[in-house]
Amino acid sequence: MRGLLPLSPILELQDRPPRVLGFAICLWLTIGVLWRQSVLAQEASVEFEGSDKGLRHFEQEIRPLLISNCISCHGESKQEGGLRLDSHKAFLAGGESGSLLGEAGNTDGNLLLEALRYESFEMPPTGPLPERSVAQFEKWLKAGAPWPEETKLRGESGAITAEDRQWWAFQPFAGAVPPTLPDSLGNRFVHNPIDRFVVAKLHQNEMRPTDQASKEVLLRRLYFDLLGMPPSPNEVQEFVADDAADAWERRVQQLLDDSRYGEHWARFWLDLVRYAESDGWNQDAYRPHIWRYRDYVVNAFNEDKPYSQFVREQLAGDEIGEDNPDHWIATGFLRLGIYEYNQRDARGHWNDIMNEMTDVAGDVFLGLSMACARCHDHKFDPIPQQDYFKLRSFFEPISWRDDLVAATLEQKQVYESELAKYREVTREIQTEIDALIEPYHRKKWISTVDKFPLDIQACFHMPVEQRTSWQNQMAYLVFRQFEEEGGGPLRSMSKEDKAKHAELLKRLEEFSKAKPKPLPAMMAATDFDGLSSPTSVPKDALHKAVEPGYLKVMAELKSGKVQSPSHLERHSTGRRTALAEWIGDPKNPLTNRVIVNRIWQQHFGSGLVATPSDLGTQGQLPTHPELLDWLTQQFVDLGGSFKELHKLILTSATWQQSAEHSNAESYQQKDPAELLLWRHPVRRLRAEQIRDAMLAASGELRSAMGGPSVAEASPKRALYVKSFRNQNENFLHGFDMVGGLQSVAVRDRTTTANQALLMFNGDYALGRAKAMAKRVLKESNSSLAAIEICFWLAWNRAPTPRELAGATRYLRLSAGEESQDPLVEEDLADFCHVLFNSSQFLYVE
């Protein structure tokens, strides 16, 4: 396989002592990793010599500085000193004092730098920029002042032009039809309409697809693709022996019906919504109940919930009005943001929470960088600042709820009845406990509330029925600090009272059998049951209310009228339901393209749009726009079914291609990023897949689904390992697992020496290798059979004669099936460890 390290150099070291061998292996792979890093560094260097990196530097560093400091005086409406800085052409022209660029690469005497340094003109007049900002300008000027071609800084008017509305992502589906292929191509490369789009594009570029991969390779790829797990030896052998015409379709359906499908596909969604099980910030407190949201996502994929329903339950499950706890659990989506337990600036803290909620909704559902419009109109995409706050307004009345339970109405009624009986028989003891702890609670409340500004204290003391939604949000943050800060109100209890409290609890314990089991707790959200506070643009001196609304550029799409659902027993604004309906509308071309592109990305490693959370003007254009539109229309017509979309992709000849191509060298010259899909990409397993595949090979994997998260050492799937935002020094994060701090559409794919060391010297990989050796020795009746089982378990195929001979030499066994040499468990564990560290294990063709 291209770009992968072969196993043969390891097996050829079979005569070395084990410790020397282990060191040699580690040194060999580390050298390989460092070599790969040097190649990447060279590639990065080449990129820097071109324009891409310079343009990124402009977008990330220079453009924001121009917008916030220069455009108000040197833009479209005003040009002091005859100078405009809102376009490249204007920048090059300079002003009354001359050009700002000067000689390319030479910043000596540069007018712009002199002004920024207050050496001649003093710009900006409000005060000098930080030294770092000036240094960024100098770096940019030395690079020749790169500026995206044909782009201009947008003004602050929020106007949407006809050209804006013509952007491809906002256009209605054009009714794409699979192209007719030349007779010379025949149907060799066509299994379904997807292939016609791909082959036609290749034909235009005088290229052709490669042949189909072998059945063993295809099945391993399919299992990792749909289940995130390798196939068992029996599953591979059965499939290879199945010559029926529908063998592949049946196996695809079988895996889609497998509960492990939901466990694997939930992970990409959890990356998007920045799922983690801790608060973040410094304390990083664990959230013991958020795992229910994780299990909701798993079940949603297994049940193949239509996308529109999936969206609605997460955004507004509380407004659906059915007696279904899953709908409330789904609103855990609205609880995934970072929370700082001891933040006294409650006003600023909640504002950050609301902004982040808005940002993520834009990233995940709209595939647009809405956050760029928070402080001003988006400078590239047609997203006025008003659009940002219209989106935020949908979430403005949200109330975080920790008092709800994941139970049906009947379950709650039964519980309350049993609890009433328990309270009756323990009333005397409970009254004594309440009297004992009441002074400590009162003291803690006073201490907690007094730490906040007076206006926030007023919100807390105000009766709930008199609060606005914002006042209730402030009161909630105060309440959370009472509960979480300083070890609770009983920490300062006197020694005598502690003894008395313990004695009372002991007496209460005598009635434990009468106490009903608590109903399942969950993290959920609803609208505040009261007056909704208005949303306003921060710099608006009039604080004009911004009503909920949709993208101005897509004004023609009328759906999701904002109104209170009539079926609700409690008051709710209905805003989030309206937003969910707009996102899930089959006629919404943007949101449906976004999710279809994400599914394609998971199957191929890259989307038809390579920037899946940015379908705006700064993202990449679709490589196959007609195919994306056709797939999206199919997805809509199929009711938003993920499983039906999977079938379309997996039964295509495009997905089933081999990773090898006879013309690879010449094709890479034409298409170095392999965007035209002329062969299947080779991909390293994800962190979770590496861990779970080792557990599967060792026989330790525990298949129990769902439930509270576990420690990393647990044999449950990696999906269920506790995920802390600020504690990521473990095996999974070493292989690029995300940390939950932000929405991640495309994981990093790093190659580092640390990864080699984790696999070679890490306790986790070593432990799985030892367990695998024990398993193999129990299941085999000869040394040769043991070696073959090792290959099947690790590589999911039989060894070639050369590989078998190399393994025999490595284990110092006699050649041939008649060999009766006994295997030493320690040596076999070393061999299993070698197989885990091979490219054939770590990569999927």
Side-chain angles (χ1 to χ4, degrees):
M1 294 183 290
R2 52 197 160 98
L4 307 186
L5 298 171
L7 180 65
S8 54
I10 299 179
L11 296 182
E12 289 169 1
L13 295 169
Q14 74 278 358
D15 296 326
R16 303 296 179 91
R19 290 186 180 178
V20 175
L21 174 62
F23 174 78
I25 294 172
C26 188
L27 178 62
W28 170 76
L29 188 56
T30 301
I31 291 172
V33 169
L34 294 176
W35 170 83
R36 174 63 177 157
Q37 286 181 307
S38 70
V39 171
L40 293 174
Q42 291 174 12
E43 292 174 353
S45 175
V46 170
E47 185 180 14
F48 181 73
E49 292 172 5
S51 61
D52 288 350
K53 192 167 185 179
L55 293 177
R56 284 203 302 274
H57 178 255
F58 173 80
E59 305 297 2
Q60 295 171 1
E61 303 289 349
I62 304 304
R63 191 185 288 266
L65 291 171
L66 290 174
I67 291 168
S68 58
N69 296 281
C70 308
I71 299 304
S72 59
C73 296
H74 304 285
E76 185 174 6
S77 59
K78 186 178 181 182
Q79 302 92 39
E80 290 193 3
L83 177 64
R84 285 186 67 170
L85 297 174
D86 61 342
S87 72
H88 195 214
K89 182 178 179 181
F91 182 89
L92 293 176
E96 295 172 359
S97 299
S99 172
L100 297 182
L101 190 57
E103 184 181 350
N106 183 8
T107 57
D108 293 339
N110 183 275
L111 291 178
L112 177 59
L113 288 180
E114 287 182 355
L116 294 175
R117 292 168 178 158
Y118 274 43
E119 294 174 352
S120 56
F121 300 101
E122 295 182 352
M123 294 295 164
T126 53
L129 296 178
E131 291 184 8
R132 181 189 179 278
S133 298
V134 177
Q136 296 297 335
F137 269 108
E138 183 176 9
K139 180 179 178 181
W140 176 62
L141 290 167
K142 284 183 177 179
W147 192 303
E149 185 178 357
E150 300 298 333
T151 65
K152 186 174 81 170
L153 302 185
R154 286 179 174 271
E156 300 295 331
S157 65
I160 303 296
T161 68
E163 182 181 0
D164 291 331
R165 298 188 190 280
Q166 292 304 310
W167 182 248
W168 71 269
F170 306 134
Q171 290 299 298
F173 308 125
V177 177
T180 301
L181 300 177
D183 293 338
S184 58
L185 291 175
N187 292 318
R188 176 184 172 190
F189 302 114
V190 176
H191 289 177
N192 69 27
I194 289 176
D195 305 317
R196 294 189 175 275
F197 291 99
V198 174
V199 174
K201 178 82 72 171
L202 288 170
H203 183 65
Q204 291 171 10
N205 289 272
E206 299 181 339
M207 303 165 75
R208 64 169 180 81
T210 191
D211 295 327
Q212 182 171 292
S214 69
K215 295 185 76 172
E216 294 92 340
V217 167
L218 277 180
L219 194 71
R220 184 172 190 263
R221 183 192 299 171
L222 181 67
Y223 268 73
F224 276 114
D225 205 331
L226 285 186
L227 307 185
M229 297 288 295
S232 70
N234 285 340
E235 287 169 330
V236 177
Q237 293 162 10
E238 288 174 2
F239 177 71
V240 170
D242 189 348
D243 294 327
D246 65 343
W248 180 253
E249 288 75 11
R250 282 189 288 105
R251 188 55 59 105
V252 169
Q253 186 62 57
Q254 177 186 332
L255 299 196
L256 288 172
D257 293 338
D258 192 310
S259 60
R260 292 174 293 176
Y261 158 77
E263 290 180 311
H264 174 58
W265 276 82
R267 186 63 256 181
F268 104 88
W269 187 260
L270 297 177
D271 282 6
L272 279 175
V273 299
R274 85 276 189 226
Y275 174 84
E277 296 171 338
S278 68
D279 287 342
W281 296 105
N282 293 323
Q283 189 193 35
D284 206 31
Y286 186 67
R287 297 173 175 177
H289 308 302
I290 197 61
W291 60 267
R292 298 189 193 281
Y293 172 78
R294 176 206 66 207
D295 284 0
Y296 160 80
V297 177
V298 171
N299 294 332
F301 275 98
N302 277 334
E303 296 167 12
D304 197 23
K305 286 190 177 181
Y307 182 58
S308 59
Q309 180 182 347
F310 186 52
V311 171
R312 184 179 180 188
E313 288 177 355
Q314 292 177 83
L315 287 177
D318 59 302
E319 295 182 343
I320 292 178
E322 297 176 0
D323 187 19
N324 185 344
D326 283 350
H327 295 166
W328 296 83
I329 293 171
T331 65
F333 166 80
L334 303 169
R335 300 294 305 273
L336 297 177
I338 294 174
Y339 165 75
E340 188 171 14
Y341 87 103
N342 64 348
Q343 175 59 261
R344 310 302 182 209
D345 179 14
R347 182 190 301 272
H349 187 27
W350 189 259
N351 187 58
D352 290 342
I353 288 171
M354 294 302 299
N355 284 340
E356 197 234 8
M357 195 181 297
T358 306
D359 297 347
V360 171
D363 288 341
V364 173
F365 300 113
L366 308 185
L368 296 172
S369 53
M370 295 293 295
C372 295
R374 187 192 304 164
C375 301
H376 46 69
D377 291 350
H378 201 296
K379 299 310 171 185
F380 312 113
D381 295 332
I383 306 175
Q385 189 180 21
Q386 284 282 323
D387 274 10
Y388 180 88
F389 288 94
K390 285 193 294 184
L391 179 59
R392 172 170 161 163
S393 186
F394 284 106
F395 303 108
E396 203 71 58
I398 274 181
S399 178
W400 280 1
R401 302 292 297 275
D402 302 312
D403 58 329
L404 301 176
V405 291
T408 63
L409 179 60
E410 181 182 359
Q411 289 170 332
K412 286 185 279 191
Q413 290 172 342
V414 170
Y415 173 78
E416 289 297 333
S417 175
E418 294 177 352
L419 183 62
K421 296 176 184 177
Y422 171 74
R423 286 173 174 167
E424 181 63 30
V425 298
T426 61
R427 179 181 300 174
E428 181 179 342
I429 301 172
Q430 192 62 62
T431 300
E432 291 185 59
I433 292 175
D434 292 343
L436 180 66
I437 65 176
E438 192 276 334
Y440 296 101
H441 272 253
R442 185 173 63 252
K443 180 180 178 182
K444 177 69 187 299
W445 275 121
I446 294 172
S447 172
T448 299
V449 177
D450 282 351
K451 294 173 182 176
F452 288 87
L454 292 176
D455 61 334
I456 306 302
Q457 293 184 38
C459 295
F460 179 79
H461 291 300
M462 185 181 297
V464 175
E465 62 273 12
Q466 295 179 17
R467 295 174 185 163
T468 65
S469 60
W470 179 83
Q471 290 167 336
N472 194 67
Q473 291 154 358
M474 296 303 99
Y476 171 83
L477 292 180
V478 176
F479 176 81
R480 282 285 294 269
Q481 290 200 28
F482 172 83
E483 293 290 326
E484 299 179 23
E485 186 181 36
L490 304 184
R491 185 180 181 184
S492 60
M493 184 178 281
S494 69
K495 185 176 180 180
E496 295 77 9
D497 283 349
K498 282 183 179 179
K500 187 176 181 179
H501 188 242
E503 176 61 28
L504 288 169
L505 292 178
K506 185 176 180 180
R507 287 172 54 193
L508 195 64
E509 182 64 24
E510 296 174 4
F511 298 90
S512 59
K513 291 184 178 179
K515 186 177 182 179
K517 183 179 178 181
L519 294 174
M522 63 178 174
M523 296 179 71
T526 66
D527 271 0
F528 174 62
D529 189 3
L531 183 64
S532 296
S533 299
T535 303
S536 61
V537 178
K539 293 183 180 181
D540 180 6
L542 299 177
H543 301 291
K544 183 180 178 181
V546 178
E547 297 299 323
Y550 313 108
L551 294 177
K552 188 175 181 181
V553 73
M554 296 176 66
E556 294 178 1
L557 180 65
K558 303 291 185 182
S559 66
K561 183 180 178 182
V562 180
Q563 58 185 356
S564 178
S566 58
H567 60 259
L568 291 184
E569 295 179 4
R570 58 171 299 280
H571 169 76
S572 183
T573 64
R575 296 182 184 186
R576 288 174 285 114
T577 293
L579 175 62
E581 289 176 351
W582 183 80
I583 291 170
D585 190 331
K587 298 177 182 177
N588 191 320
L590 174 64
T591 55
N592 286 293
R593 284 186 178 111
V594 167
I595 188 60
V596 169
N597 185 62
R598 294 194 192 283
I599 299 299
W600 182 277
Q601 171 205 347
Q602 298 305 310
H603 284 297
F604 287 91
S606 179
L608 294 168
V609 180
T611 50
S613 286
D614 189 357
L615 271 61
T617 60
Q618 297 307 293
Q620 294 191 29
L621 293 172
T623 56
H624 299 72
E626 295 84 4
L627 172 56
L628 178 57
D629 269 18
W630 182 84
L631 271 176
T632 304
Q633 189 62 63
Q634 296 299 307
F635 179 69
V636 168
D637 291 345
L638 292 167
S641 166
F642 288 128
K643 290 188 177 183
E644 292 301 322
L645 182 58
H646 291 316
K647 288 181 193 177
L648 268 176
I649 295 172
L650 295 171
T651 56
S652 70
T654 300
W655 188 87
Q656 296 176 38
Q657 290 182 100
S658 169
E660 302 293 338
H661 199 297
S662 57
N663 295 328
E665 186 174 351
S666 62
Y667 281 12
Q668 283 183 318
Q669 299 297 316
K670 291 183 177 181
D671 180 28
E674 302 184 13
L675 299 176
L676 296 181
L677 303 170
W678 41 272
R679 67 177 174 185
H680 197 85
V682 174
R683 289 192 282 170
R684 190 183 70 198
L685 297 178
R686 285 186 164 199
E688 297 91 338
Q689 292 172 318
I690 295 172
R691 177 187 180 276
D692 294 348
M694 287 194 291
L695 283 172
S698 69
E700 300 170 288
L701 184 67
R702 194 155 58 89
S703 59
M705 288 185 63
S709 294
V710 297
E712 186 181 18
S714 168
K716 284 190 76 171
R717 290 193 71 168
L719 177 73
Y720 301 113
V721 172
K722 289 182 178 180
S723 55
F724 290 85
R725 285 187 161 99
N726 295 343
Q727 303 172 38
N728 52 19
E729 299 300 323
N730 58 30
F731 180 87
L732 292 170
H733 288 90
F735 284 90
D736 305 318
M737 181 178 173
V738 299
L741 291 171
Q742 59 187 358
S743 173
V744 174
V746 182
R747 285 192 185 184
D748 291 335
R749 286 180 283 184
T750 63
T751 305
T752 68
N754 283 344
Q755 292 166 353
L757 295 173
L758 281 170
M759 290 300 294
F760 276 115
N761 297 337
D763 292 338
Y764 199 85
L766 286 166
R768 306 294 72 71
K770 291 175 182 178
M772 179 176 168
K774 290 180 181 293
R775 172 190 181 180
V776 170
L777 287 175
K778 288 181 180 179
E779 296 181 2
S780 59
N781 54 18
S782 69
S783 297
L784 186 62
I787 295 172
E788 291 179 338
I789 291 174
C790 286
F791 277 99
W792 273 108
L793 292 175
W795 291 5
N796 315 123
R797 64 170 174 80
T800 65
R802 182 173 179 272
E803 290 164 349
L804 189 59
T808 302
R809 290 196 304 272
Y810 173 78
L811 291 166
R812 297 186 292 279
L813 301 176
S814 303
E817 294 187 13
E818 70 280 359
S819 170
Q820 299 298 314
D821 300 340
L823 272 171
V824 178
E825 183 178 310
E826 185 177 354
D827 290 346
L828 188 60
D830 283 344
F831 178 66
C832 294
H833 196 205
V834 168
L835 294 179
F836 283 160
N837 280 277
S838 66
S839 294
Q840 285 80 357
F841 175 79
L842 293 168
Y843 288 78
V844 174
E845 297 180 67

